[in-house]
Amino acid sequence: MNRNHLVCVTGGSGFIAAHTIRGLLERDYRVRATVRDLSRTAKYSFLNQLDGAGDRLELVEADLLQPGSLREAVDGASTVLHMASPYTINAEDPQRDLVAPALEGTRSVLEACRASESVSRVVLTSSIAALTDEPDSNHVLTEQDWNSTSSLSRNPYHYSKTVAERSAWTFMEEQRPGFSLVVINPFMVIGPSLGPSLNTTNQMIRDFITGVYPGILDINWGFVDVRDVALAHILAMERPEARGRYLCAAENLHMRDVITVLRDGGYGRNYRLPSMDLTGTAATMFVKLLSWTQPKDTGTYMRTHLGRHLRYDNSKIRRELDLSFRDIAPSILETAEDLVRWGHLPAPGTSR
Ligand code: NDP
C-alpha cells in the first residue's frame, strides 16, 4: 500500500518536482513537499489543486541553508527525493547563490536522513552538469564521467551540481548510513509546467522564439521531457535494485533542429525565430568572440559548448529503470504552447 509510504520532495514548487509530486499522488503515495517560503502562496498553490493533494499532500517550509528545517521535513519519510537546488546560469555571487545551497543543502539533507532513521532511500537530482561542462565530440558520455573542469569562475552552476553530487557519494562512502542513494542526471529538461514559474530551460525555448539569438548557432543539447524525468525519479525510488547514477536524456538536437520543429509547428510567423546560419567554423569563431559581450557565465557557457557535438549513452536508465523516453519534437511544441498558456509568451498573432 503506497499510502503507507511518506515521500519527502525538497523544492516542491520546482518545475521537475511538481511533476514528480503529481506522479507520486497518482500512485497513491503520501507526499511532504518543502517550499522555501509558505507565505508566497502564488508560487506553489497549484500543488494543492493536484488530484489527491487534499488528503495526501503536506507542504512544509524548509531552506537548504537551514539544517533544522530539513530535519523536520524528512522526519518519518521512507524516501526523500532531493530536488531543490538553485538553477540559474548567471549568479551575482556563485559561492553564495549556487554552491552553498547546492552543497550544504545536499549534505544537510543526507545528514537529516541519517538522523531520522525512517529513510531507506534518497534519490538526488544531479545533472549533466556533474558529468561535463565542455562536451567532447569524440567521447560518448556515460555514468562513469565526472566534470573536472568547472569552478566558481567557469560554469559555476555546473560546479555547484558537481560538488553537491560528489559530496553525496563521499557521504555514503564515509558515513555508511542506513539508506541507499540513487542519483538522476538529467540533461536539458523541457515540457509543460504545472506552475506559473518559468524554468531556466523553458526560458531558452522562449528566447529562441522571441529573437534573443542573433542566428542559428552550432550547438546541440540532449533534451528530455519533464514528465520522463519525474517518472525516472519515481522508478529510482520504487526499484530496490536501482543503484548508482542514471544519465537521463532522450534525444540530441542541434539548435537548427529545434528551430525547424518550432517553425514547422507554427512559431515562424508573428515571432522572431532566428534564421541566419551561424554554424560554420568562421561564424562560430565570431560568435565565440561576441560571447565576451554577454553576461559572464552565459559567455563561458557559450565558449565551452559552441562547436561541440554532445554524445552520450542512455542505455543504463532504459535498461535498469525500464524507462522509455518521449519524442522530443512534440515536447518542444508543448513547451511553446505552455509558455503561451502561462503568459510567458504572447499568443500567436499578437506578437510582432
Ligand atoms: P526550478 O528552478 O524549477 O526549481 C528549483 C527548486 O529549488 C525550487 O523549488 C526552489 O525554491 C528550490 N530552491 C532553490 N534554492 C533553495 C534554497 N536555498 N532552499 C530551498 N529550496 C531552494 O528547477 P528545476 O525543477 O529545473 O530543477 C530541479 C532540480 O533539477 C535541480 O536540482 C536542478 O539542478 C536539476 N536539473 C534541472 C535541469 C533542467 O533542465 N531544468 C537539468 C538537470 C538538472 P524556490 O521556488 O523557493 O526558489
Side-chain angles (χ1 to χ4, degrees):
M1 274 282 285
N2 288 344
R3 206 167 268 250
N4 296 332
H5 292 276
L6 175 64
V7 183
C8 172
V9 181
T10 65
S13 60
F15 176 51
I16 301 172
H19 279 278
T20 310
I21 293 167
R22 177 160 84 171
L24 290 166
L25 292 171
E26 276 168 7
R27 290 177 182 232
D28 212 31
Y29 289 100
R30 285 189 297 125
V31 181
R32 183 185 293 147
T34 74
V35 294
R36 228 189 305 192
D37 184 352
L38 275 173
S39 71
R40 297 179 69 187
T41 47
K43 226 174 176 180
Y44 65 79
S45 59
F46 67 93
L47 292 172
N48 290 319
Q49 314 305 319
L50 296 174
D51 280 352
D55 58 337
R56 282 179 291 113
L57 175 66
E58 180 192 357
L59 294 168
V60 299
E61 206 163 80
D63 191 294
L64 293 173
L65 297 170
Q66 291 171 9
S69 66
L70 295 166
R71 275 197 294 277
E72 282 176 33
V74 307
D75 192 38
S78 50
T79 312
V80 174
L81 309 185
H82 178 39
M83 301 189 144
S85 201
Y87 176 34
T88 174
I89 298 300
N90 287 289
E92 195 184 311
D93 178 338
Q95 174 61 35
R96 181 197 64 198
D97 303 337
L98 288 169
V99 176
L103 181 58
E104 289 172 33
T106 300
R107 280 198 201 126
S108 299
V109 166
L110 295 176
E111 195 50 65
C113 292
R114 189 174 64 144
S116 87
E117 291 183 0
S118 61
V119 178
S120 59
R121 172 157 293 177
V122 173
V123 182
L124 169 70
T125 316
S126 184
S127 170
I128 179 188
L131 302 174
T132 182
D133 80 343
E134 188 163 23
D136 175 349
S137 312
N138 298 312
H139 177 71
V140 177
L141 286 171
T142 70
E143 284 79 5
Q144 307 302 318
D145 287 289
W146 276 98
N147 173 353
S148 58
T149 44
S150 293
S151 65
L152 282 175
S153 57
R154 173 186 154 126
N155 290 320
Y157 167 72
H158 292 64
Y159 183 59
S160 74
K161 296 303 288 180
T162 307
V163 292
E165 191 195 329
R166 276 248 189 242
S167 87
W169 288 118
T170 304
F171 178 96
M172 296 304 288
E173 234 174 83
E174 289 178 358
Q175 307 292 325
R176 306 209 166 271
F179 58 82
S180 57
L181 174 70
V182 179
V183 172
I184 305 292
N185 299 80
F187 285 30
M188 294 295 253
V189 185
I190 57 165
S193 175
L194 296 179
S197 303
L198 175 60
N199 185 261
T200 300
T201 317
N202 282 350
Q203 183 172 351
M204 185 178 84
I205 304 286
R206 180 181 75 170
D207 289 348
F208 287 165
I209 298 174
T210 54
V212 170
Y213 288 76
I216 298 172
L217 312 180
D218 187 16
I219 189 162
N220 64 100
W221 297 276
F223 287 99
V224 57
D225 188 283
V226 64
R227 292 159 288 194
D228 290 341
V229 179
L231 181 59
H233 283 80
I234 296 173
L235 294 172
M237 161 192 131
E238 286 181 336
R239 300 200 167 199
E241 68 280 12
R243 47 184 37 76
R245 313 168 89 191
Y246 288 97
L247 192 154
C248 185
E251 239 178 289
N252 215 22
L253 258 69
H254 192 277
M255 182 170 170
R256 186 190 301 110
D257 306 324
V258 181
I259 301 303
T260 302
V261 169
L262 289 166
R263 183 163 287 116
D264 292 351
Y267 292 87
R269 272 182 303 146
N270 298 314
Y271 292 108
R272 294 164 58 206
L273 284 176
S275 56
M276 197 193 320
D277 185 351
L278 295 174
T279 61
T281 312
T284 299
M285 300 248 303
F286 177 65
V287 177
K288 280 189 183 179
L289 277 178
L290 276 184
S291 72
W292 291 97
T293 64
Q294 295 295 307
K296 182 172 171 295
D297 299 319
T298 304
T300 317
Y301 181 86
M302 288 172 74
R303 290 188 293 282
T304 49
H305 286 75
L306 282 169
R308 291 172 168 271
H309 186 73
L310 180 70
R311 299 171 68 202
Y312 54 86
D313 174 3
N314 65 5
S315 59
K316 182 173 182 249
I317 197 164
R318 288 191 285 114
R319 189 178 60 246
E320 293 185 11
L321 299 189
D322 218 4
L323 192 72
S324 46
F325 291 106
R326 286 160 199 258
D327 290 343
I328 283 304
S331 292
I332 291 172
L333 293 178
E334 274 188 79
T335 305
E337 279 163 32
D338 195 64
L339 290 168
V340 173
R341 187 168 72 89
W342 283 110
H344 300 309
L345 189 65
T350 61
S351 170
R352 289 291 120 236

